[in-house]
Amino acid sequence: MASTFAMNASHPENRLAGETSPYLLQHKHNPVDWWPWGPQALAEANSSNRPILLSVGYAACHWCHVMAHESFEDEATAKVMNELFVNIKVDREERPDIDQIYMSVLHLLGEHGGWPLTMFLTPAGEPFWGGTYFPNESRYGKPSFVDVLHNVARIFRDDPKSIEQNRRALMERLAQSARPKGMVVVGIAELDAAAQQLTGLIDPHHGGTKGAPKFPQPMLLEFLWRAGQRSGQARYFNAVELTLEHICEGGIYDHLGGGFSRYSVDERWLVPHFEKMLYDNAQLLELLGLAYLRSGKDLFRQRARETVVWLEREMTTPQGAFCASLDADSEGEEGKFYVWSLNEIQELLGPDASVFAAQYDVTQEGNFEGHNILNRLARLPASAATPEMPPQQRTKLMAARDKRVRPGLDDKVLADWNGLMIAGLVHASLAFGEPRWLELATRAFEWIATTMSQDDGPGDRHGHRLGHSWREGRLLIPGLASDHANMIRAALALHEATGKSDYLKHAIAWQETLDRHYANRITGGYFLTAADAEGLVIRPDSTADEATPNSNSIAAQNLVRLALVTGLDTWRTQVDRLFDGILPLAADNLYMHLALFNALDLRLRAAEIVVTGSDAQADALAQAALKLPYVDRILLRARTADALPQAHPAQEKIKAATSSAAFVCVGERCSLPVTEPDAIASAVAAMRQA
């Protein structure tokens, strides 16, 4: 890390060149006129009557390096710093006493702690205001660093007697400067307010949004789930679990063959539109895993298992990829393949028919146009204690149903929908402890990466350009932004689950393709179609979600993960630009941009868990990390520091580790080494609570 920051010799050395601290030496070529801590610096501040800007960090601090790149290496920012302040740089590991004093002051000011610590002092070294990381541009409710500098210097100059008591007024001014005209600022507070608003749409009796028809709306459920994780309020989790319970027990679920239908035409989730889509089942599979990790409800495990059985049996191609959909109709009648009469049940099950009929709502009159849709809604909320369908009954009924005319299967393979299912299988595999599902995901991924991709021009030998659709040997290419975004997400999920670097290489290569052919330079996001695709009257660039998350939102999530996994801040800068460009478009239609706000939550709250070591202990730490909810957990395995990119912020921590350990980083702070697998979850919770 030191060479990354210290070897930029385009600027003369400052006063830090004579220090021995590696952290201070990283900043010796900054255009900032840094002073080391000492009486000379205080004397300079006193003689010039300038306030002191104290910056405290350490060599392995990621956000310290971010602020260094953005602000301390920037000539314009440095000019403001040098004109208005005496600037002092401190290594907290070298001078923990200084760090402890001013970190305590920051806590007394009501601010969260973390590094870099940025404090403003009188010439006598007395603190009057501070913070942690400030971005070079205003975003997420934080003012830009230059705005901070100007405001602090002005108050110090014009009203020196009331600096301390005017802290609140200063914060209000900074809050205003963080909302420049033409920008939309969304931070944690705004996400929480939106979640509170959206819970009012939830049907308190049946789950889902009020009224009919009812769609599963996985993006909304994930948004509420994330709100529960942020706030700890059970009402958000309860809204999601209530919805999933009714979906799992309603007629929208195929209780005999597994899998979820597209939506319910009624408010009770009883009568589905009987088509089954790959993307719905992929997203619901992930949500079932999330809900199970918190609740341990066997209902969620059972439905996930049955859905994967259906996926293998009816939706998997001979090559291992996944088909697009199953029709709702057979013999010209919607749902005919799925419904039953009481007489059929009695003939097939004999003496067991009465118990089955009571459990699955089968009557002589029927519950759907004279027929019966199997469901267990009447058993709610007691369904957790109700036995599932015995295997022998399922076998008899399946054998009879298989003799019917089957609905049509759309067996084309879509790269974007497959990407959704691959990621869904990976996340569910980890949540439910089902390694077989990971194998299914791996097989599908390898086939798509091999068969549905082509070289992206001269010199590309790895097939980094995806097609969109494949059937009977014909590939439709170029693909869409959604194909690349969802397959990148799948690759990153597999990389986290397996630790294999090939998946990360695929993710990076596809991201580079996405940036090269789909980038929208105005918004920082992506067009749906490639620049060299067949010309249309307009190039589509919608940012709104549909039945699947918008590709811009998936790309945002991917960029956040790429930034943390690779340690390259270019990805983080890129995702921030995407948010800056698209949030103004999303603000007027929150409901249609929930996937974007889910990605923003990841950007603001992601817990990166870096596991080092190559023994059984390291494996146990990694497996414990993978049991945390995937929505805001990022795992990075690094046996040694050499396994990481040279610029990765965990380099120094891993070098200092004497045994296998995990380091938990949340926001701008990192934990001490965690050596026990059972302690990882509590370490993440503690870092977030801090």
Side-chain angles (χ1 to χ4, degrees):
M1 285 295 295
S3 62
T4 303
F5 294 91
M7 292 299 103
N8 179 12
S10 59
H11 192 277
E13 294 180 347
N14 55 40
R15 292 180 183 84
L16 300 182
E19 298 298 304
T20 58
S21 160
Y23 176 64
L24 298 185
L25 291 174
Q26 289 174 0
H27 296 271
K28 70 178 182 179
H29 288 296
N30 289 171
V32 177
D33 187 14
W34 288 116
W35 292 74
W37 181 271
Q40 294 86 355
L42 299 178
E44 172 65 19
N46 187 64
S47 63
S48 63
N49 195 30
R50 286 180 293 167
I52 293 169
L53 190 160
L54 173 66
S55 178
V56 183
Y58 56 101
C61 168
H62 173 62
W63 287 95
C64 301
H65 301 324
V66 172
M67 194 166 179
H69 278 313
E70 291 181 344
S71 297
F72 303 151
E73 295 177 1
D74 179 66
E75 295 279 353
T77 304
K79 181 179 180 181
V80 175
M81 293 173 66
N82 295 336
E83 178 183 347
L84 300 179
F85 296 89
V86 171
N87 304 288
I88 300 177
K89 175 63 72 174
V90 167
D91 181 345
R92 69 172 292 261
E93 295 177 348
E94 187 176 63
R95 293 297 306 268
D97 50 345
I98 296 173
D99 176 67
Q100 188 176 99
I101 291 170
Y102 294 108
M103 187 62 71
S104 296
V105 172
L106 187 65
H107 292 156
L108 292 174
L109 291 171
E111 298 293 322
H112 294 302
W115 296 274
L117 172 62
T118 307
M119 293 298 299
F120 297 96
L121 319 177
T122 68
E126 300 168 341
F128 59 85
W129 192 74
T132 53
Y133 161 79
F134 292 99
N136 62 333
E137 296 180 356
S138 302
R139 59 167 53 94
Y140 308 137
K142 282 192 172 185
S144 74
F145 188 46
V146 169
D147 285 342
V148 171
L149 298 177
H150 282 298
N151 277 284
V152 170
R154 177 179 56 79
I155 292 176
F156 180 84
R157 180 188 67 243
D158 297 340
D159 196 5
K161 294 182 180 179
S162 59
I163 289 177
E164 182 63 22
Q165 57 263 41
N166 283 339
R167 180 181 65 84
R168 291 186 182 275
L170 175 62
M171 291 298 292
E172 290 175 0
R173 290 190 179 96
L174 292 173
Q176 292 174 359
S177 69
R179 289 165 169 79
K181 185 178 180 180
M183 291 187 66
V184 172
V185 176
V186 180
I188 294 295
E190 288 78 10
L191 292 177
D192 288 342
Q196 184 173 357
Q197 175 186 349
L198 290 175
T199 52
L201 302 178
I202 299 298
D203 183 334
H205 304 291
H206 309 294
T209 53
K210 297 172 182 176
K214 268 184 161 56
F215 290 83
Q217 295 179 299
M219 288 152 279
L220 170 61
L221 298 182
E222 181 183 327
F223 185 78
L224 295 179
W225 192 268
R226 288 177 179 272
Q229 289 185 302
R230 286 194 305 271
S231 67
Q233 296 183 32
R235 60 178 176 146
Y236 295 118
F237 297 121
N238 293 341
V240 176
E241 290 182 15
L242 175 70
T243 302
L244 289 177
E245 286 172 353
H246 282 75
I247 290 175
C248 286
E249 297 291 52
I252 191 174
Y253 181 73
D254 181 357
H255 288 265
L256 184 57
F260 297 89
S261 294
R262 178 73 192 96
Y263 64 90
S264 170
V265 302
D266 65 295
E267 67 176 6
R268 296 180 55 228
W269 304 102
L270 171 62
V271 180
H273 181 52
F274 289 88
E275 66 183 0
K276 294 181 183 178
M277 312 301 296
L278 184 67
Y279 58 76
D280 286 317
N281 285 274
Q283 295 173 89
L284 285 169
L285 198 57
E286 288 187 334
L287 285 170
L288 289 173
L290 271 183
Y292 179 78
L293 285 174
R294 180 179 184 272
S295 69
K297 291 181 180 178
D298 193 61
L299 172 65
F300 301 146
R301 176 191 287 275
Q302 182 71 16
R303 294 297 177 263
R305 283 176 171 171
E306 293 167 355
T307 296
V308 176
V309 169
W310 161 76
L311 181 71
E312 279 198 271
R313 184 184 65 244
E314 300 185 32
M315 300 293 288
T316 304
T317 70
Q319 297 85 5
F322 305 117
C323 302
S325 64
L326 277 170
D327 203 337
D329 297 357
S330 57
E331 300 182 69
E333 186 176 331
E334 182 178 2
K336 185 173 182 178
F337 181 76
Y338 298 101
V339 297
W340 298 87
S341 69
L342 178 60
N343 289 340
E344 287 176 306
I345 297 297
Q346 290 172 337
E347 290 176 5
L348 290 167
L349 300 184
D352 296 328
S354 59
V355 174
F356 180 92
Q359 289 185 354
Y360 287 91
D361 190 27
V362 179
T363 65
Q364 191 67 48
E365 299 79 14
N367 55 33
F368 170 63
E369 299 179 353
H371 304 287
N372 291 281
I373 300 170
L374 301 183
N375 74 92
R376 288 158 47 106
L377 290 169
R379 312 300 298 184
L380 287 170
S383 61
T386 304
E388 292 289 340
M389 189 184 303
Q392 63 272 21
Q393 293 183 10
R394 188 184 302 275
T395 299
K396 289 180 181 179
L397 294 175
M398 282 290 288
R401 196 172 82 167
D402 286 343
K403 295 177 182 177
R404 300 174 180 175
V405 177
R406 301 187 63 83
L409 172 68
D410 186 339
D411 63 353
K412 68 175 176 288
V413 178
L414 300 175
D416 50 3
W417 293 7
N418 270 257
L420 282 171
M421 180 54 80
I422 292 166
L425 283 168
V426 173
H427 295 142
S429 168
L430 298 172
F432 294 111
E434 295 280 356
R436 166 68 179 154
W437 302 357
L438 188 59
E439 294 175 6
L440 295 176
T442 301
R443 184 184 179 208
F445 182 92
E446 296 298 340
W447 186 85
I448 291 172
T450 301
T451 307
M452 293 188 67
S453 59
Q454 294 182 0
D455 294 347
D456 187 16
D460 181 1
R461 297 170 294 175
H462 304 291
H464 293 155
R465 191 102 186 251
L466 284 167
H468 174 61
S469 174
W470 183 95
R471 187 173 188 272
E472 295 184 349
R474 182 179 178 184
L475 178 65
L476 179 62
I477 199 165
L480 306 173
S482 57
D483 298 309
H484 292 83
N486 281 293
M487 285 301 295
I488 292 166
R489 181 172 182 263
L492 290 172
L494 283 166
H495 174 65
E496 283 195 63
T498 67
K500 294 181 178 178
S501 61
D502 283 350
Y503 295 121
L504 180 58
K505 291 176 182 177
H506 274 295
I508 292 173
W510 283 331
Q511 182 62 48
E512 290 172 348
T513 297
L514 189 62
D515 292 335
R516 185 160 51 249
H517 294 291
Y518 299 84
N520 184 333
R521 307 300 177 190
I522 296 175
T523 65
Y526 300 94
F527 291 102
L528 182 62
T529 55
D532 58 353
E534 180 182 358
L536 305 174
V537 293
I538 190 172
R539 196 174 178 193
D541 62 349
S542 171
T543 60
D545 300 324
E546 297 180 0
T548 58
N550 185 270
S551 54
N552 285 282
S553 303
I554 296 293
Q557 180 186 135
N558 294 338
L559 289 167
V560 172
R561 292 183 181 274
L562 281 169
L564 291 176
V565 170
T566 65
L568 298 176
D569 288 321
T570 51
W571 301 120
R572 183 186 58 81
T573 300
Q574 191 171 332
V575 75
D576 286 344
R577 182 169 182 266
L578 185 153
F579 282 128
D580 287 345
I582 296 181
L583 281 175
L585 305 175
D588 293 334
N589 196 345
L590 167 71
Y591 195 76
M592 295 303 295
H593 291 84
L594 290 175
L596 182 69
F597 293 110
N598 289 335
L600 179 58
D601 177 76
L602 179 69
R603 167 69 175 88
L604 298 175
R605 296 181 59 256
E608 184 182 22
I609 305 166
V610 182
V611 175
T612 182
S614 57
D615 56 8
Q617 179 73 358
D619 291 339
L621 290 167
Q623 291 305 311
L626 289 171
K627 279 296 184 181
L628 298 176
Y630 72 90
V631 292
D632 54 10
R633 169 267 295 153
I634 299 173
L635 171 66
L636 177 58
R637 295 177 177 86
R639 293 186 175 185
T640 66
D642 293 338
L644 293 176
Q646 190 62 37
H648 197 282
Q651 277 275 356
E652 297 300 323
K653 284 183 174 291
I654 291 179
K655 288 178 181 177
T658 57
S659 62
S660 296
F663 299 93
V664 178
C665 298
V666 175
E668 298 151 19
R669 304 176 304 281
C670 292
S671 72
L672 295 173
V674 180
T675 57
E676 295 298 326
D678 292 344
I680 286 183
S682 59
V684 171
M687 292 298 293
R688 288 200 167 118
Q689 189 174 8

